[in-house]
Structures are given as C-alpha cells and as structure tokens.
C-alpha cells in the first residue's frame, strides 16, 4: 500500500492478499516518460499497457520459480515502469520477516529471508524505509534492528509509522513522530494506507490520499505537524534525498565527463562535418595516410624521440641487432675446425709438391685454403639479407596498422611496398655475392694488417708464450646478466637464477648482481656451446656449455645448461661467448673425424716430419691472419650494402613513388572505402560526444535549479539494540493494555508481532479492523489455524512490523537505491 500510494498514484498493480505475498524480491526501475507502460526483463520486447496484466505476470512469475505453496526465492523479478507520474528511482520490494515456516518454506526460512534482505540493504546507495505499525512495540521492530546493523550512523534510515488510525482511543504516537522518544537521526514519518475493505471496494488512490490528509488535519495529536506527515511528504523526503545524493556525486561525475570529453574532442573534430562520399575528403585522406605511413616507417627505422616503444624492439633496433650480433655470430659459426684445417693444409702442401720434397712453403697452398674459407662466407651473408628483409616487411605491417579504417588501402599499400622490397632483394644479394667474388679475385698479401710469411712463425711463438703467461690486458668484462642454471637436480635445489659475468678468460656467477658472493668460476678454454631443446613444461630457451675434451664442466655435470626467457637473449649471449672464444658446436664434426680416421688422416699430426710441420704452422697463421682481414671487411661492408641498396632505397620509394603507384593501381573510391567497423566507431564517437555534452548541461542545470539539505545531527539511538530489547521497555505506540499482549503472541515469535488491541468499548469500532486482512501477511493463515492465538474480534492483527512487504497493505519496507 505504501509503495502504491506514493509512487503510483494513478495505477494499482502490485499483488495484495493475506499471508506472505512477496516471495521474491521485486526490483522496480521507475522511469519518468511521457507514455505509461511496463516491461519485464524475462519478457523482453513485450510492453504491458494494462497494469492488471502486470499484476498477473508478477504473480505468475513468482509461482514459476517458488511454486504456489508459500515458497520463497532470492531470484529477483525485474520490472521497468515508464510513467509521467514517477521519479527516476530503483525500488526493491522485499519479503517480510518470517520466523515459522509454512507450506513449502524451508526450516531456515528466517535466515534465508534475512540473507536476502542483507543483499540489498547493505549497499551504500540504498535508502532504507524501516516500516513499523503504530500498534506494535517499536523497540522490538525487526526493520529497525536490521537497519541499525547495516547503518549504525543512521544516515540511510527513515522510520515510517503505519496503522496510526488503528491505535486504541486515548493513545497516540506523537512523541515518536516528533522524534522525542526512541529517536532516529532522520526521524519518523506517519502514513495512513488503504484498508483491505477500501481495496476490495476499489477505492481510488487519490481518494485514499485525501482521506489520509484529512486524518492528520483532524487528529488533535497530529494536526500541528500535518505538513510533515503523510505519503506526499514521504515522497518529498525521498525526492530530496535523491537530490542530495545526486548533488554529492556531481563534482566527481563532472570531472569524469569533462576528461572523457577532452579525450575524444580532437578526434570528433574530424567527424563533425564528415561526408563519406566527398571526393575532396578522400583525396586529402589518401595524401595524409601516405605521408603518415612514410613518417612512421622512417621513425621505426631511424628512431625518434617520441612514441618510443618500451615493450619490444622496433624495426631499426632489430636490424641493428642483426648487423652487429646475429651476422657476426653466423660468421663465427662458419669458423673452421682446427684439426680439419691443419689436415687440409697438409694435404694441399703435399699435393703441390707431389713427388718432390719441397724446401719452401708454397704460396699456392695459402691461396687455396683462403679461397675455400672465403666461399663459406656466402651463406651467412645471404642469411643476413633474408633476416633484414623479414624485419623490413614486419615493419611495413606495423606501420599500416593505422590504416585499419581503410582495409583496401592498407592491403594495396602493403602489397606495393612488399613487392618493391622483394625486387630490391635480388639486387642486394647480387651485390653481396659480388663482394665475395671481389675477395676471391685477388689475395692482397700486402695489406697492412697481414702478418706476412716472415712474421707467421714468429707470431705463433709469441701467441704461445702469451697464452702461457696470461695476458692481463684481455681480462675485460664482455657481458653481465641473469641466467638460470637449468640442469641442477631437484634434490640439489632445482633450477636457480644467478648473476653471470663473462670475461675473455672465464665465466663466473654470483648469488646476485652485487657480485659479493661468488658461486663458481669456469675457465672458457676448450669450451663450446650447443642448443638444447626446451622441456615439455618449460617456456625458457636453453643452450649448453660443454668441454671439447670430454671433461666435466661443472662439478659432476658434463654440460652446463643455461636458460633465458627469450630467444633474443640466447642469441645475444651466444654472440658474447663468441667474443670470448667459445664457439658453437657444428653438426657433422664427428662424421668428419671418422672420415679422417678412415683415410688415415688423423695420424698426420704424429707422422709429419719437422719441416712439413713448420710449413703447416706457417700457412695456418697466414690463413688466420688473412681471414681476420676478410671477416672484418665483410662485417663492415654488409650493413652498408644492405642500408644503401635496400633500406634507404625503400624509404626513398615510399616518399617519392608510393603515391603514384597507389593512383595507378585502381579506383580511388575503392581504395578509400571505409570499413564497417570504422563507420560504426565514428557514429559511436559522435553519439558519445553529444551525450557527454548533454550530460554536462544537465549537471549545470541541476546545480542551478536544486538545493541540498544538510544531514540531520546524530541522535542518541542507544535504545535500539541489535539484540532483543526487554519487553518492559515500550513506546506509547504499544497497546494501552500491554498485559494482554503476552498470551496473544505465539512463544516461537517473541517481539515479532505488536500487541493485539483489546476489545473495543463500543461495537462500532470493531468492524473496520477485521475488514483489513491484508494488513498482516500472516504466514499461519486465518487465526483459527493458530491454537495459541485467542479468538479475538480483530483477526488481522499485524504480525511482522519489522519487514513489511507489499502483501501487507500498510507496512511494506522498500529500500530505495539512490
């Protein structure tokens, strides 16, 4: 009745009846609109214009989930009502508190309903209407107890007193309504609702409100505060609380809206006068896209101070890594094997001398060995070109991501630039092969860095002495970083991460990067590295160090497995190990060694005469010296060749020829055709922009057209305890004959019902009371079913003043979401 009165003055559609009627939470979303209709969430798209059908649908939906025998469910019914007579509010109508189960209700019905109530009333934006009948003991109100639990400061609780017209003669609730006795911070508001007789007689809600107004004006105890009583005043209070809540949240909301508006304003400027079919716009957009693509491509290659990617390496940084880490690593991977090289030199000297015994070291042996080694450089050089091409194409794709709004233009631009890169690939590889052929064409033995025949033997002896004595100048730190030792068994602690320091002579690792506690130091002599396959459950990339002389590397481990998070880190560490003289293992070493054994070549080291041995050593030093010169030259010329013939050429092509190629490839309208996603995004952006502007205007209007009221000061509400209050402490709203209340209430429900008003002195006052059976949703049914209830004249004695429901016309307790 309370909900019906102050929200739906012209409609009466909530279910009514005796017993527990509200058995599922009813979430009412009220929307102020010019038309009047209702919509259920479970009946999407269906509009209910006949509100009698709304009532029937609520009852039917309740029975669908809970059954028809008083069962309950926490699953809410969602109803949205559009009407010009309502405020924009969300209201939740909850079941009343029940202590004894009836029908299909579970034994713990009281706790289930309490948990259901707590789901809603604990929300901070919920305003609690604690509804209690005037003819009950207010100190034992379940509604006020629960409100005290969830709102101890009383900031969200408004007391509502019903049944003021049913109080015995000589009693009134004046002190309570004036907030003098049993005070609440927000005070109490008295209301008079329709009786069941009025509802059965189809009494109009407007007439009920007029009767309520007449009651307060004519009653001697309430006429002085009639303007602060009644359903219309309760509606004004709730409206003001909504206004206060809105005004309190407006500053933060305004700041949020303004920041959103600023973030999209620049983009929206382009869309305000947007015409998709304007040729001038398409031409301008095409020019802008090509220019932006050229700028982005150059920035990714050359680098820039703005928009730096901090998550991964961009195109230019990756190409630099290829030039100075990956390519040198590939060169060293082609490094000749010492034993095999000496065997080849020996065979070359012997085959040059043939049947004669040579007295001098032959030049042709040196030239033959050098040419064979130079030819091996072709493979890593071509691989370097392929890696750079892959990075260039990936950079092009990254730069065209901004063109996603024009899919045809993006596809065509990628095709044109990629085709050009592939064309330059052939030219670049031809030039690289030309560099190798130039090196093969002439052996410049007069190079300033070449040691020459005279110094070859001398250099060999100096190197051996230098190695024996130990050169302190070469003890420099090549690399530092974290690595995980992967092959330590679980029983010995499992994989652990250490701080590694690599120098030209040894590999050391420490507990942490402070380098105070050294765990181990491993000499790099006779070490090589190999790749190790990742484990089934491992996400790390692994490589291993092993000793070429089949010795344990670390403690009792034949190899030391080191793990990194990414393959890039592994490649970088490999390049560092190359600088320290630790080379990768080559596939087929064992096969070649076995072939040497079959040919008897492995015995030449032991069977060579001293003269041949000196000649082999000399050629060996000469080859080493000359190949160092060749490698240095190739490492220098490869980046320059690739930059000139491929990267710089591609940049020039994008700047000067890309636009012409786009114009010549097809229709401009097809190229600049927008994607459906872009058109949708533009519409959403404009819609959001106008919505934000309108919201800010509304906020400005609210600030100028509304006022907020201050929070009432705290009051002493210590009378309201969560635990049961002694029955001797009664309010004047209790029955004037409290001694008759005890036998009227079942022992299992202390404090849940108000005292039954005694037999009226005049028979004329009795009929109105039994005519309101809906005023008390008694789960026990008619009074004759309760043995402990005396057979009194007013059978509709309110049983649950705490948590009233719409089934109780005078005492629903809806919390209002503000």
């Amino acid at each position: 009745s309370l909900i019906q009165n102050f929200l739906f003055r012209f409609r009466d559609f909530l279910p009514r009846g005796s017993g527990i009627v509200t058995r599922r939470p009813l979430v009412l979303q009220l929307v102020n609109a010019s038309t009047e209709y209702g919509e259920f969430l479970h009946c999407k798209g269906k509009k209910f214009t006949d509100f009698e059908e709304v009532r029937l649908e609520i009852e039917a939906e309740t029975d669908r989930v809970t059954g028809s025998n008083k069962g309950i469910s926490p699953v809410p019914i969602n109803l949205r009502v559009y009407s010009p007579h309502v405020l924009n509010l969300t209201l939740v109508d909850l079941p009343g508190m029940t202590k004894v189960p009836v029908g299909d209700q579970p034994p713990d019905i009281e706790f289930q309903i309490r948990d259901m109530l707590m789901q809603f009333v604990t929300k901070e934006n919920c305003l609690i209407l604690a509804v209690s009948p005037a003819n009950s003991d207010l100190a034992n109100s379940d509604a006020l107890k629960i409100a005290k639990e969830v709102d101890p400061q009383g900031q969200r609780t408004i007391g509502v007193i019903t049944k003021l017209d049913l109080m015995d003669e000589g009693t009134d609730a004046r002190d309570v309504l004036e907030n003098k006795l049993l005070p609440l911070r927000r005070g109490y508001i008295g209301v008079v609702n329709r009786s069941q007789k009025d509802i059965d007689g189809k009494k109009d809600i407007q007439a009920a409100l007029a009767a309520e107004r007449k009651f307060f004006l004519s009653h001697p105890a309430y006429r002085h505060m009639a303007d602060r009583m009644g359903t219309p005043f309760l509606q004004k209070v709730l409206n003001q609380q909504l206004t206060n809540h809105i005004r309190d949240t407006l500053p933060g909301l305004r700041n949020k809206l303004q920041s959103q508006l600023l973030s999209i304003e620049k983009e929206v400027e382009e869309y305000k006068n947007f015409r998709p079919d304007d040729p001038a716009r398409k031409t301008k957009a095409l020019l802008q896209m090509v220019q932006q693509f050229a700028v982005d491509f150059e920035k990714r290659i050359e680098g820039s101070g703005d928009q730096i990617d901090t998550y991964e390496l961009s195109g230019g940084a990756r190409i630099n890594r290829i030039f100075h880490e990956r390519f040198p690593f590939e060169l060293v991977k082609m490094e000749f094997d010492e034993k095999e090289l000496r065997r080849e030199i020996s065979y070359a000297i012997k085959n040059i001398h043939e049947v004669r015994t040579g007295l001098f070291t032959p030049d042709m042996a040196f030239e033959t060995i050098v040419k064979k080694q130079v030819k091996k450089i072709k493979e890593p050089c071509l691989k370097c070109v392929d890696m750079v091409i892959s990075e260039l194409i990936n950079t092009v794709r990254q730069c065209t991501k901004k063109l996603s709004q024009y899919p045809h233009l993006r596809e065509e631009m990628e095709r044109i630039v990629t085709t050009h890169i592939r064309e330059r690939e052939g030219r670049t590889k031809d030039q690289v092969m030309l560099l190798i052929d130039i090196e093969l064409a002439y052996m410049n033995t007069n190079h300033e860095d070449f040691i020459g025949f005279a110094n070859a033997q001398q250099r060999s002896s100096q190197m051996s002495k230098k190695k024996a004595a130990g050169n302190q100048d070469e003890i420099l730190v090549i690399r530092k970083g974290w690595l995980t030792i992967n092959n330590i068994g679980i029983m010995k602690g499992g994989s652990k991460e250490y701080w590694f320091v690599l120098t030209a002579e040894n590999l050391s690792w420490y507990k942490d990067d402070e380098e105070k506690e050294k765990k181990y130091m491993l000499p790099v002599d006779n070490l090589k590295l190999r790749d190790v396959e990742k484990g089934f459950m491992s996400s790390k990339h692994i490589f291993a160090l092993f000793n070429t002389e089949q010795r344990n590397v670390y403690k009792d481990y034949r190899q030391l497995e080191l793990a990194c998070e990414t393959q890039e880190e592994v490649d970088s560490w490999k390049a560092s190990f190359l600088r320290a003289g630790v080379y990768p293992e080559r596939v087929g070493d064992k096969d070649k060694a076995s072939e040497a054994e079959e040919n008897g070549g492995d015995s030449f080291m032991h069977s060579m005469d001293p003269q041949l041995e000196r000649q082999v050593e000399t050629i060996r030093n000469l080859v080493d010296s000359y190949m160092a010169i060749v490698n240095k030259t190739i490492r220098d010329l490869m980046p320059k060749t690739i930059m000139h013939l491929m990267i710089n050429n591609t940049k020039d092509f994008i700047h000067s020829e890309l636009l012409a190629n786009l114009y010549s490839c097809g229709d401009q309208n097809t190229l600049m055709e927008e994607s459906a996603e872009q058109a949708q995004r533009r519409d959403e952006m404009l819609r959001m922009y106008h919505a934000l502007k309108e919201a800010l205007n509304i906020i400005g209007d609210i600030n100028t057209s509304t006022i907020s009221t201050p929070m009432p000061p705290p009051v002493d509400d210590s009378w309201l305890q969560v635990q049961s209050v002694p029955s001797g402490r009664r309010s004047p709203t209790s029955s004037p004959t409290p001694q008759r209340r005890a036998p009227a209430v079942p022992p299992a429900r202390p404090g849940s019902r108000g005292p039954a008003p005694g037999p009226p002195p005049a028979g004329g006052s009795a009929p109105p009371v039994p005519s309101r059976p809906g005023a008390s949703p008694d789960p026990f049914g008619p009074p004759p079913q309760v043995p402990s209830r005396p057979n009194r004249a007013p059978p509709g004695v309110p049983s649950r003043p705490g948590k009233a429901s719409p089934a109780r016309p005078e005492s629903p307790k809806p919390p209002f979401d503000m």
Side-chain angles (χ1 to χ4, degrees):
S1 294
L2 182 64
I3 301 173
Q4 208 69 76
N5 282 2
F6 80 85
L7 288 178
F8 310 108
R9 296 187 181 183
F10 301 95
R11 296 291 180 186
D12 185 4
F13 66 85
L14 292 179
R16 300 287 297 276
S18 60
I20 180 169
V21 177
T22 303
R23 293 179 284 132
R24 290 176 60 184
L26 179 61
V27 180
L28 298 174
Q29 186 175 357
L30 310 177
V31 182
N32 187 273
S34 57
T35 57
E36 199 166 49
Y37 62 93
E39 286 182 342
F40 285 94
L41 184 62
H42 62 272
C43 299
K44 292 183 179 179
K46 183 178 179 180
K47 294 183 179 181
F48 292 80
T49 54
D50 184 355
F51 279 78
E52 184 63 28
E53 293 184 9
V54 174
R55 183 209 310 273
L56 295 176
E57 180 61 29
I58 293 175
E59 294 174 349
E61 179 63 18
T62 299
D63 291 342
R64 271 195 288 269
V65 175
T66 63
S68 58
N69 193 17
K70 307 297 183 182
I72 66 165
S73 170
V75 180
I77 300 174
N78 292 273
L79 171 62
R80 180 178 292 179
V81 176
Y82 297 84
S83 172
H85 310 298
V86 298
L87 298 169
N88 291 321
L89 282 177
T90 299
L91 177 148
V92 183
D93 184 20
L94 298 170
M97 290 292 292
T98 298
K99 297 185 181 297
V100 178
V102 296
D104 291 336
Q105 294 175 356
D108 60 341
I109 180 68
E110 178 182 2
F111 301 103
Q112 288 194 21
I113 293 181
R114 181 182 176 85
D115 292 341
M116 190 189 309
L117 300 178
M118 287 299 182
Q119 293 178 13
F120 295 93
V121 298
T122 52
K123 297 178 180 178
E124 289 298 325
N125 63 337
C126 172
L127 186 64
I128 304 171
L129 292 185
V131 183
S132 303
N135 54 359
S136 69
D137 187 352
L138 189 63
N140 288 330
S141 168
D142 287 333
L144 289 175
K145 288 179 183 178
I146 292 180
K148 176 70 173 178
E149 288 182 33
V150 299
D151 180 31
Q153 303 299 321
Q155 298 179 355
R156 300 187 287 118
T157 304
I158 297 177
V160 179
I161 305 298
T162 62
K163 293 184 173 46
L164 290 169
D165 56 332
L166 295 184
M167 296 185 68
D168 290 339
E169 292 186 10
T171 61
D172 58 61
R174 175 175 176 174
D175 288 344
V176 173
L177 293 176
E178 290 179 345
N179 211 30
K180 294 179 179 178
L181 187 66
L182 310 179
L184 290 176
R185 186 167 186 173
R186 290 189 179 273
Y188 297 88
I189 298 174
V191 296
V192 176
N193 296 320
R194 291 180 299 169
S195 66
Q196 189 65 40
K197 179 181 179 181
D198 295 336
I199 295 170
D200 295 339
K202 305 296 182 181
K203 184 176 182 178
D204 185 69
I205 294 179
Q206 291 284 20
L209 293 175
E212 179 188 49
R213 177 71 174 166
K214 181 179 179 181
F215 170 80
F216 285 113
L217 288 174
S218 61
H219 198 289
Y222 309 133
R223 65 174 57 139
H224 69 288
M225 50 181 168
D227 291 339
R228 294 183 284 109
M229 295 292 117
T231 303
F233 180 73
L234 178 59
Q235 185 179 21
K236 290 180 182 179
V237 169
L238 294 177
N239 190 16
Q240 184 60 55
Q241 296 311 314
L242 175 61
T243 302
N244 291 350
H245 178 75
I246 292 175
R247 287 181 64 92
D248 291 342
T249 58
L250 281 186
L253 181 60
R254 183 195 293 110
N255 292 338
K256 184 177 180 180
L257 293 177
Q258 286 176 341
S259 63
Q260 289 181 345
L261 188 63
L262 289 174
S263 65
I264 67 172
E265 203 159 29
K266 184 177 180 181
E267 189 172 356
V268 169
E269 280 295 328
E270 304 174 5
Y271 299 148
K272 283 184 178 179
N273 303 316
F274 185 83
R275 289 181 298 167
D277 298 326
D278 185 7
R281 183 201 65 80
K282 290 185 176 181
T283 302
K284 180 181 178 181
L286 177 60
L287 291 173
Q288 289 177 341
M289 294 295 177
V290 173
Q291 290 174 358
Q292 186 63 43
F293 173 75
V295 170
D296 290 345
F297 183 81
E298 187 165 358
K299 282 184 177 180
R300 281 186 170 269
I301 297 298
E302 301 292 342
S304 64
D306 59 339
Q307 298 180 353
I308 297 175
D309 191 348
T310 58
Y311 296 99
E312 62 178 356
L313 293 178
S314 59
R318 287 178 174 271
I319 292 173
N320 177 275
R321 182 170 159 269
I322 291 171
F323 286 158
H324 302 294
E325 289 187 14
R326 298 291 299 278
F327 178 56
F329 176 71
E330 294 296 330
L331 283 179
V332 179
K333 279 172 64 176
M334 303 304 297
E335 188 77 27
F336 37 76
D337 181 76
E338 185 69 25
K339 291 182 179 180
E340 185 179 354
L341 178 62
R342 289 181 177 273
R343 181 175 57 83
E344 291 177 356
I345 295 173
S346 172
Y347 287 163
I349 294 174
K350 288 180 178 180
N351 289 334
I352 289 172
H353 289 303
E354 294 295 345
V355 297
R356 296 167 296 168
T357 301
L359 298 177
F360 303 101
T361 304
D363 293 356
M364 291 180 63
F366 162 74
E367 188 170 332
T368 301
I369 297 300
V370 167
K371 285 184 177 181
K372 187 175 180 180
Q373 298 300 322
V374 171
K375 288 179 182 178
K376 293 181 180 180
I377 300 178
K378 288 184 178 181
E379 183 180 345
C381 289
L382 294 178
K383 187 174 181 180
C384 177
V385 175
D386 290 336
M387 288 190 291
V388 172
I389 288 174
S390 176
E391 291 299 336
L392 272 182
I393 293 176
N394 186 53
T395 301
V396 170
R397 292 199 179 112
Q398 293 292 327
C399 293
T400 55
K401 282 185 177 179
K402 294 183 178 180
L403 307 179
S404 57
Q405 55 185 319
Y406 301 109
H408 293 96
L409 176 62
R410 176 181 181 177
E411 182 180 347
E412 198 62 30
M413 194 177 289
E414 283 186 8
R415 183 189 65 80
I416 292 172
V417 178
T418 303
T419 302
H420 177 76
I421 291 174
R422 290 300 179 186
E423 290 175 356
R424 301 303 300 177
E425 175 186 4
R427 176 73 187 276
T428 305
K429 287 186 175 180
D430 289 343
Q431 185 64 30
V432 170
M433 290 298 98
L434 182 60
L435 291 177
I436 305 300
D437 292 339
I438 290 172
E439 291 292 340
L440 291 171
Y442 179 68
M443 302 291 132
N444 182 18
T445 55
N446 288 327
H447 194 281
E448 59 182 2
D449 294 335
F450 187 62
I451 61 173
F453 279 89
N455 298 325
Q457 185 62 38
Q458 182 181 357
R459 179 175 180 267
S460 177
S461 61
Q462 288 177 351
M463 289 295 292
S464 59
K465 291 179 181 179
K466 194 175 186 180
K467 188 173 182 180
N471 186 10
Q472 297 301 320
D473 294 336
E474 290 185 2
I475 304 179
L476 58 106
V477 175
I478 297 175
R479 185 185 180 95
K480 294 183 178 182
W482 291 100
L483 286 173
T484 301
I485 299 181
N486 198 62
N487 58 330
I488 299 179
I490 297 177
M491 299 300 293
K492 298 183 179 181
S495 301
K496 287 187 178 180
E497 194 174 33
Y498 295 101
W499 179 259
F500 279 75
V501 178
L502 175 64
T503 67
E505 294 189 355
N506 54 64
L507 175 67
S508 306
W509 55 92
Y510 301 82
K511 181 181 179 181
D512 50 41
D513 54 2
E514 295 182 1
E515 299 182 15
K516 293 181 179 179
E517 184 179 341
K518 181 183 288 189
K519 293 294 184 179
Y520 200 80
M521 185 174 71
L522 178 66
V524 297
D525 294 336
N526 299 321
L527 289 185
K528 280 194 174 184
L529 56 87
R530 63 163 65 106
D531 291 323
V532 179
E533 292 186 2
K534 291 195 298 184
F536 178 71
M537 299 296 292
S538 174
S539 61
K540 294 191 175 185
H541 300 263
I542 308 171
F543 65 97
L545 298 174
F546 67 97
N547 195 296
T548 57
E549 298 179 355
Q550 303 300 318
R551 296 179 181 175
N552 290 342
V553 176
Y554 170 59
K555 295 185 178 179
D556 55 346
Y557 296 101
R558 280 300 179 96
Q559 66 179 21
L560 180 66
E561 294 183 6
L562 302 175
C564 302
E565 293 293 337
T566 64
Q567 185 62 41
E568 292 181 0
E569 289 184 54
V570 172
D571 294 339
S572 182
W573 271 103
K574 285 181 179 179
S576 300
F577 274 109
L578 291 178
R579 294 177 56 194
V582 180
Y583 301 118
E585 178 188 32
R586 290 184 310 282
V587 178
D589 281 354
K590 294 182 180 180
D591 296 337
K592 292 180 181 178
S594 62
E595 287 181 15
E597 289 178 4
E598 292 175 3
N599 296 331
D602 60 303
S603 61
F604 82 95
M605 291 293 293
H606 306 286
S607 62
M608 276 195 302
D609 59 82
Q611 183 178 353
L612 179 59
E613 188 174 351
R614 286 194 300 270
Q615 290 177 355
V616 169
E617 184 68 26
T618 301
I619 297 295
R620 169 69 183 85
N621 291 333
L622 292 174
V623 170
D624 194 20
S625 174
Y626 195 82
M627 286 307 299
I629 297 172
V630 173
N631 285 338
K632 182 178 179 182
T633 304
I634 294 298
R635 283 201 302 266
D636 180 60
L637 288 178
M638 276 295 295
K640 296 176 180 178
T641 303
I642 295 175
M643 284 296 297
H644 174 68
L645 294 177
M646 183 174 293
I647 298 175
N648 291 341
N649 184 274
T650 302
K651 286 194 298 183
D652 294 340
F653 172 81
I654 292 173
H655 279 288
S656 60
E657 299 182 38
L658 176 59
L659 185 60
N661 279 269
L662 286 172
Y663 275 120
S664 64
C665 70
D667 184 18
Q668 179 187 350
N669 291 329
T670 305
L671 280 179
M672 299 306 295
E673 185 177 332
E674 275 190 318
S675 65
E677 293 81 3
Q678 173 63 16
Q680 181 181 356
R681 183 175 182 276
R682 183 181 65 252
D683 294 340
E684 289 178 356
M685 192 72 68
L686 289 172
R687 189 160 53 247
M688 182 184 296
Y689 176 79
H690 293 304
L692 291 173
K693 295 282 285 186
E694 183 180 358
L696 289 172
N697 291 334
I698 292 174
I699 288 176
D701 294 341
I702 292 175
N703 279 334
T704 57
S705 60
T706 62
I707 59 173
S708 60
T709 57
M711 174 71 67
V715 297
D716 181 13
D717 59 356
S718 58
W719 62 274
L720 181 59
Q721 303 295 333
V722 176
Q723 302 296 329
S724 298
V725 178
S727 59
R729 220 173 156 183
R730 298 183 178 275
S731 70
T733 59
S734 302
S735 169
T737 56
Q739 67 275 11
R740 290 178 296 171
R741 180 174 180 267
V745 181
R749 304 175 63 190
S752 64
R753 297 179 178 270
S765 60
V769 178
S771 69
R772 305 182 64 189
S776 174
D778 190 355
F780 298 94
Q785 297 179 1
V786 185
S788 62
R789 181 193 298 275
N791 188 12
R792 296 179 181 274
V797 176
S799 61
R800 288 178 292 150
K803 283 290 175 178
S805 71
R808 306 178 59 195
E810 284 74 27
S811 53
K813 188 225 56 79
F816 291 86
D817 287 346
M818 303 300 289

